[in-house]
Amino acid sequence: MKSKFQHVALVGKYQITTSSTSGANSRAALLAVAHFLDDQGCDVSLEKDTALNMGLTDYPALSVAQIGHECDLGLVVGGDGTMLGIGRQMAPYGVPLIGINQGRLGFITDVPYDSFATSLAQMLGGAYVEDHRSLINARVLRDGHCVYEATAMNDVVVNRGAASGMVELRVEVDGHFVANQRADGLIIATPTGSTAYALSSGGPLIHPSIPGWVMVPIAPHTLSNRPIVLANSTKIAIEIVSGRDASASFDTQSLASLMHGDRIEVTRSRHHVRFLHPQGWSYFDTLREKLHWNEGVTAT
Amino acid sequence: MKSKFQHVALVGKYQITTSSTSGANSRAALLAVAHFLDDQGCDVSLEKDTALNMGLTDYPALSVAQIGHECDLGLVVGGDGTMLGIGRQMAPYGVPLIGINQGRLGFITDVPYDSFATSLAQMLGGAYVEDHRSLINARVLRDGHCVYEATAMNDVVVNRGAASGMVELRVEVDGHFVANQRADGLIIATPTGSTAYALSSGGPLIHPSIPGWVMVPIAPHTLSNRPIVLANSTKIAIEIVSGRDASASFDTQSLASLMHGDRIEVTRSRHHVRFLHPQGWSYFDTLREKLHWNEGVTAT
Amino acid sequence: MKSKFQHVALVGKYQITTSSTSGANSRAALLAVAHFLDDQGCDVSLEKDTALNMGLTDYPALSVAQIGHECDLGLVVGGDGTMLGIGRQMAPYGVPLIGINQGRLGFITDVPYDSFATSLAQMLGGAYVEDHRSLINARVLRDGHCVYEATAMNDVVVNRGAASGMVELRVEVDGHFVANQRADGLIIATPTGSTAYALSSGGPLIHPSIPGWVMVPIAPHTLSNRPIVLANSTKIAIEIVSGRDASASFDTQSLASLMHGDRIEVTRSRHHVRFLHPQGWSYFDTLREKLHWNEGVTAT
Amino acid sequence: MKSKFQHVALVGKYQITTSSTSGANSRAALLAVAHFLDDQGCDVSLEKDTALNMGLTDYPALSVAQIGHECDLGLVVGGDGTMLGIGRQMAPYGVPLIGINQGRLGFITDVPYDSFATSLAQMLGGAYVEDHRSLINARVLRDGHCVYEATAMNDVVVNRGAASGMVELRVEVDGHFVANQRADGLIIATPTGSTAYALSSGGPLIHPSIPGWVMVPIAPHTLSNRPIVLANSTKIAIEIVSGRDASASFDTQSLASLMHGDRIEVTRSRHHVRFLHPQGWSYFDTLREKLHWNEGVTAT
């Protein structure tokens, strides 16, 4: 069976230099996947930083932009963090992504390395489930000027300073006043991010098909300040009212030293991320396994 | 200014015979609103049970079906419960509803009786915000046959029997297995219902514009069984796996003595409820007032 | 090494006739433990219902009262439920209990059957940790008369009727008004019960050494009605204010059809349960294993 | 009636220079209370910083230590924060404290300024309820040496750095391993502190008579890492395992830049704070009013 995807880019842990042992494992894993793709008749390229980090020179090394323009599939060998990073960058180009995990199942890296050949053979043949994930576009405004702009696949978090007390945040949705929140901070999470920090802070799970964000207060002063699910077609604005050294994070990128009056504006990005999963994949199977449902985490 | 609405139906507390005092108040309130509508040049009718309960014979009494076919506006004088009941019944006819509360602000009855004349004058003139609420269609299947069908505006709740232990429920979404839940019960709530029982049980607030339901487990055995927001375009099926005397409730209607193997299937109704709010109304203002945000329900 | 305990009573699943297979397993397990105790020079008796259920005639069968007066150790082979039942009954006699679990670790049955010989040899020799658990004494008063009295090792639960709405409960502590709670119900749990139903309903874990109960509202109408830890030297009174068909449960015993004005009074029992654990046992090890801490039940 | 207390120290907002208006109010309030005490035949002194801040020279100004040795009552005019600060300092001397609030009711400042004369007249005459609050003694150890020591009346909080991810904390109780917690941080709160930050983070309320602390994880990675109530006779140790820029706070004092391997050890202080409340005072009345119970913060 011929591959539906002609030119495949391989991405590994490209940001952090891994330790020698796990680095060697990752390198061997990447090469095994590359050879497999060769055998399937695909053109194989490596993401540039991955090639550099791993010292791999057997395949052409492409920048993210080149991958975006030239490849019709991205194959990520790593964990959810790697997948999030490259997903954010690939969104504008519409290149679909498959995630292969070497360790335990990820929320979005769901092809186990041990059986990648079987899974990939089928997926390259066209047997896959496509799953689109929305992205947040966030802008930080100071005195009416945009001083920072970022894209987030998991969440935007506004946080109090480390050694200071609560932060007070004024929240508006499409210009409507929502509330002044006094809390440790506030999370705006996508459905993808609803299983991450937002979940730890008491937020609900949000199915990826929901066109919404969840806004979750972190340790709110007012007990009835509960998580709220908002349409992602709205503009959410968060203004720093009081609190020293507040900061904002956009997935892993962050901006420190926010000032009173700074506004973080959150809208839906016009791009989305395309994930491909093996045929038969179900979001609920992943939830059930990751959250240890049906294993009885309680008593008597 | 001429009213945009020609024939208006008035609805009061039609189900429960009220005590003599509050009954008298309600009667006087209904009449005052009726007279006001007269003055605005509207044709005024009364919902049949309301007329009967209040002993009002000054205006024609119409059945719900007649109101649905003949009226172009329903005016509810009462609380959220009355509004929910008539809303469910009016949905198939598409008649919009305005809610006037005599006591404190409701989540969906937001015109205070004390200032109804000012508010209504503007709203009849066309100055209003329209707000659509989705409805749940629920069916109970036994041995493959539908033994009960109901519409819910707030929620569908499956509950354990009173003196028995947990119930075990198998949940599927569009045929995909989600989890076997062992709990006191399970709530499927609409955005409208997200401020009711679901909120008490730990669920998030859901903005009415979100095309989804929230599924909230009640006192779940497994601590990671968290509330989950699901698209309302799916079919959710809940099967009674074990537990004695389980029951199902659909808003206030309820069905006792469910049997093992019974399935409750939840889909979106093809109808929705149309609420009209005064110009300038914001869902967030109601939330803020009802949930006492910005009043500091915590310490030190 | 001579056993510190001369006369040991063996208790199995005495209340429910087990299925033939697991019954056979339980029977074989009981006999294996009995033979081992023989070998250690102990006098061995069987709890009467256990002997009857298992069809065991090799050892004397004693009633609970006889065990209480004649034995100096109880050995329970079963799960936490069996241990709770016999613990409640043994408390007045002060007979210490050891719990052997055949399946997975229990909160209070912590000697694995697979290694019982090694564990018991050491414990009979005096190498054990003693752990005392407080008990609730509960009385139901109607028109000032006690109509029901029960002892609970886990919790006392007041619940709404199955098909009815919330129950309203007036809570007093030592005659001081605490609150009128509108909720699905209210749990008063011991530290032992804090890992059971109270935990599912949002309560904290309570270390067994804390001289207190936790009162946990179930799905409370008022969001700031949070769990509260109260001294167990107080008298807590719960009065049914409104709600149809409320019921009260005391561990597994229950009393239906409570009436308005009925009062449930909760005090500490003057008895406590004595558990013996293997040397080196730590409450925290059990918590960690049972609650799957350090296994990462979250994401990304 | 003669005052049971001969020498009374007055304490106001001594740490922060108040704005001119509220400062003037506070000054007038302090003087009014001082004059009243004069009239009751008490010797009146002012806490030194209070006198300095307010520019009050009419009464002798005493240091905290002098108050501790010479006075038999402290009268605090301010909010809960002022009371916490002076309470911590007065504990070693055993001087009882009365809290007068000028604004809204505090959790521990429960005499309204508007009726202070009536309340104080009775309390000075001996009609009061005495209420003892336990204190935390905390030490920070680095390489086995104590590098910081503090007393806390509300809580000890270990927190992640502002712009970094989770912190990982190893928790031990009396040398028993409890868990490795990955979270935003960890709170150890006294019963007094259970209504503050711990409550916002999901902890239970703890009655002041409970000899325990509650340990509350902040946004824990593992969903079953629930708040746990521990005996205050134990030693709790928290070790920084990983995470950059972690910090520790002791009420309002804080210590930044904790290093891996640093240990925070928490024990009960041998001192406690003595609060006096008006006759008839009940802890539950305060809770009910502060937490707006019985006001219905939910829907439909």
Side-chain angles (χ1 to χ4, degrees), chain B residues 159-160 184 197 200-201 219-220, chain C residues 159-160 184 197 200-201 219-221:
Chain B
N159 252 310
R160 66 176 177 89
D184 271 9
Y197 189 28
S200 290
S201 302
Chain C
N159 252 309
R160 66 176 177 89
D184 271 8
Y197 190 28
S200 290
S201 301
H221 184 74

Side-chain angles (χ1 to χ4, degrees), chain B residues 149-266:
Chain B
E149 185 155 14
T151 299
M153 210 172 135
N154 261 351
D155 46 38
V156 172
V157 183
V158 182
N159 252 310
R160 66 176 177 89
S164 54
M166 292 188 186
V167 73
E168 181 172 350
L169 303 171
R170 178 186 167 88
V171 179
E172 288 173 14
V173 171
D174 281 345
H176 293 286
F177 175 52
V178 175
N180 270 19
Q181 297 248 19
R182 292 169 63 203
D184 271 9
L186 196 59
I187 304 166
I188 314 281
T190 65
T192 303
S194 74
T195 52
Y197 189 28
L199 188 62
S200 290
S201 302
L205 301 162
I206 314 272
H207 192 274
S209 65
I210 291 288
W213 318 129
V214 63
M215 181 166 77
V216 182
I218 310 168
H221 184 74
T222 299
L223 299 180
S224 59
N225 267 347
R226 294 279 289 267
I228 178 166
V229 181
L230 298 164
N232 64 17
S233 56
T234 58
K235 181 200 279 186
I236 305 173
I238 301 168
E239 185 182 317
I240 314 290
V241 175
S242 68
R244 281 175 297 121
D245 295 322
S247 63
S249 305
F250 313 89
D251 286 357
T252 52
Q253 316 126 263
S254 83
L255 180 68
S257 302
L258 294 178
M259 296 164 66
H260 296 181
D262 284 359
R263 281 169 74 87
I264 295 95
E265 292 190 349
V266 166

Side-chain angles (χ1 to χ4, degrees), chain C residues 105-155:
Chain C
L105 175 74
F107 275 101
I108 50 179
T109 48
D110 43 29
V111 175
Y113 176 74
D114 290 345
S115 57
F116 81 84
T118 318
S119 297
L120 285 189
Q122 294 171 348
M123 295 178 79
L124 295 177
Y128 54 76
V129 178
E130 186 156 352
D131 168 30
H132 291 184
R133 302 296 176 102
S134 53
L135 288 170
I136 286 177
N137 188 63
R139 287 152 37 99
V140 181
L141 303 178
R142 181 166 296 163
D143 302 325
H145 301 290
C146 176
V147 295
Y148 193 82
E149 185 155 14
T151 299
M153 210 172 136
N154 262 350
D155 46 37

Side-chain angles (χ1 to χ4, degrees), chain B residues 6-300:
Chain B
Q6 192 48 46
H7 190 173
V8 182
L10 270 176
V11 186
K13 288 173 190 153
Y14 55 97
Q15 287 175 309
I16 298 139
T17 308
T18 49
S19 69
S20 55
T21 327
S22 81
N25 287 344
S26 298
R27 196 175 186 279
L30 266 180
L31 280 175
V33 176
H35 294 330
F36 171 82
L37 292 170
D38 270 345
D39 291 348
Q40 302 284 314
C42 298
D43 299 330
V44 178
S45 294
L46 288 171
E47 186 270 332
K48 223 170 63 178
D49 292 340
T50 305
L52 202 68
N53 266 342
M54 304 277 182
L56 286 170
T57 53
D58 325 42
Y59 295 92
L62 302 183
S63 69
V64 164
Q66 287 172 312
I67 293 172
H69 289 115
E70 300 174 22
C71 298
D72 46 9
L73 180 65
L75 248 171
V76 177
V77 182
D80 282 355
T82 309
M83 192 77 163
L84 282 174
I86 199 73
R88 225 165 26 224
Q89 294 176 284
M90 278 297 133
Y93 304 101
V95 179
L97 296 169
I98 294 174
I100 297 173
N101 67 78
Q102 273 189 274
R104 53 188 189 130
L105 175 74
F107 274 100
I108 51 179
T109 48
D110 42 29
V111 175
Y113 177 74
D114 290 345
S115 58
F116 81 83
T118 318
S119 297
L120 285 189
Q122 294 171 348
M123 295 177 80
L124 295 176
Y128 55 76
V129 178
E130 186 156 351
D131 169 30
H132 291 184
R133 303 294 177 103
S134 53
L135 288 169
I136 287 177
N137 187 63
R139 287 152 38 97
V140 182
L141 303 178
R142 180 167 296 163
D143 301 325
H145 301 287
C146 176
V147 294
Y148 194 82
E149 185 155 14
T151 299
M153 210 172 135
N154 261 351
D155 46 38
V156 172
V157 183
V158 182
N159 252 310
R160 66 176 177 89
S164 54
M166 292 188 186
V167 73
E168 181 172 350
L169 303 171
R170 178 186 167 88
V171 179
E172 288 173 14
V173 171
D174 281 345
H176 293 286
F177 175 52
V178 175
N180 270 19
Q181 297 248 19
R182 292 169 63 203
D184 271 9
L186 196 59
I187 304 166
I188 314 281
T190 65
T192 303
S194 74
T195 52
Y197 189 28
L199 188 62
S200 290
S201 302
L205 301 162
I206 314 272
H207 192 274
S209 65
I210 291 288
W213 318 129
V214 63
M215 181 166 77
V216 182
I218 310 168
H221 184 74
T222 299
L223 299 180
S224 59
N225 267 347
R226 294 279 289 267
I228 178 166
V229 181
L230 298 164
N232 64 17
S233 56
T234 58
K235 181 200 279 186
I236 305 173
I238 301 168
E239 185 182 317
I240 314 290
V241 175
S242 68
R244 281 175 297 121
D245 295 322
S247 63
S249 305
F250 313 89
D251 286 357
T252 52
Q253 316 126 263
S254 83
L255 180 68
S257 302
L258 294 178
M259 296 164 66
H260 296 181
D262 284 359
R263 281 169 74 87
I264 295 95
E265 292 190 349
V266 166
T267 53
R268 182 182 50 200
S269 165
R270 60 202 173 86
H271 307 298
H272 58 254
V273 182
R274 296 174 61 198
F275 289 145
L276 307 187
H277 306 287
Q279 197 79 52
W281 171 86
S282 153
Y283 174 72
F284 301 111
D285 292 345
T286 304
L287 276 191
R288 204 168 54 246
E289 183 160 344
K290 293 287 291 179
L291 297 181
H292 299 266
W293 290 348
N294 300 334
E295 284 178 28
V297 186
T298 277
T300 318

Side-chain angles (χ1 to χ4, degrees), chain A residues 63-261:
Chain A
S63 70
V64 164
Q66 287 171 309
I67 294 172
H69 289 115
E70 300 174 23
C71 298
D72 45 9
L73 180 66
L75 247 170
V76 178
V77 182
D80 283 355
T82 309
M83 192 77 164
L84 281 174
I86 199 73
R88 226 165 27 224
Q89 294 175 283
M90 279 297 131
Y93 306 101
V95 179
L97 296 169
I98 294 174
I100 297 173
N101 66 78
Q102 274 189 273
R104 54 187 189 131
L105 175 75
F107 275 102
I108 51 180
T109 47
D110 42 29
V111 176
Y113 176 74
D114 290 344
S115 57
F116 80 83
T118 318
S119 297
L120 286 189
Q122 294 171 349
M123 295 178 80
L124 295 176
Y128 53 77
V129 178
E130 186 156 352
D131 168 31
H132 291 184
R133 302 296 177 102
S134 54
L135 288 169
I136 287 176
N137 188 64
R139 288 153 36 98
V140 181
L141 303 178
R142 180 167 296 162
D143 301 326
H145 301 288
C146 176
V147 295
Y148 194 83
E149 185 156 14
T151 299
M153 212 172 134
N154 261 351
D155 46 38
V156 172
V157 183
V158 183
N159 252 310
R160 66 177 177 88
S164 54
M166 291 188 187
V167 73
E168 181 171 350
L169 303 171
R170 178 186 167 88
V171 179
E172 288 173 14
V173 171
D174 281 345
H176 293 286
F177 175 52
V178 175
N180 270 17
Q181 297 248 19
R182 294 170 62 204
D184 272 9
L186 196 58
I187 305 166
I188 314 281
T190 64
T192 303
S194 73
T195 52
Y197 190 27
L199 188 62
S200 290
S201 301
L205 302 162
I206 313 273
H207 191 275
S209 65
I210 291 288
W213 317 130
V214 63
M215 181 167 77
V216 183
I218 310 168
H221 184 74
T222 298
L223 299 181
S224 59
N225 266 348
R226 294 279 289 268
I228 178 166
V229 181
L230 298 164
N232 65 17
S233 55
T234 58
K235 182 200 278 185
I236 304 173
I238 301 168
E239 185 181 318
I240 314 290
V241 176
S242 68
R244 280 175 299 121
D245 295 323
S247 63
S249 304
F250 313 90
D251 286 358
T252 52
Q253 317 124 265
S254 82
L255 181 68
S257 302
L258 294 179
M259 297 165 65
H260 295 181

Side-chain angles (χ1 to χ4, degrees), chain C residues 68-131:
Chain C
H69 289 115
E70 300 174 22
C71 297
D72 45 9
L73 179 67
L75 247 170
V76 177
V77 182
D80 282 356
T82 308
M83 192 76 164
L84 281 174
I86 199 74
R88 225 164 29 222
Q89 294 176 283
M90 279 296 132
Y93 305 101
V95 179
L97 296 170
I98 294 174
I100 296 173
N101 66 77
Q102 274 189 276
R104 53 190 191 128
L105 175 74
F107 275 101
I108 50 179
T109 48
D110 43 29
V111 175
Y113 176 74
D114 290 345
S115 57
F116 81 84
T118 318
S119 297
L120 285 189
Q122 294 171 348
M123 295 178 79
L124 295 177
Y128 54 76
V129 178
E130 186 156 352
D131 168 30

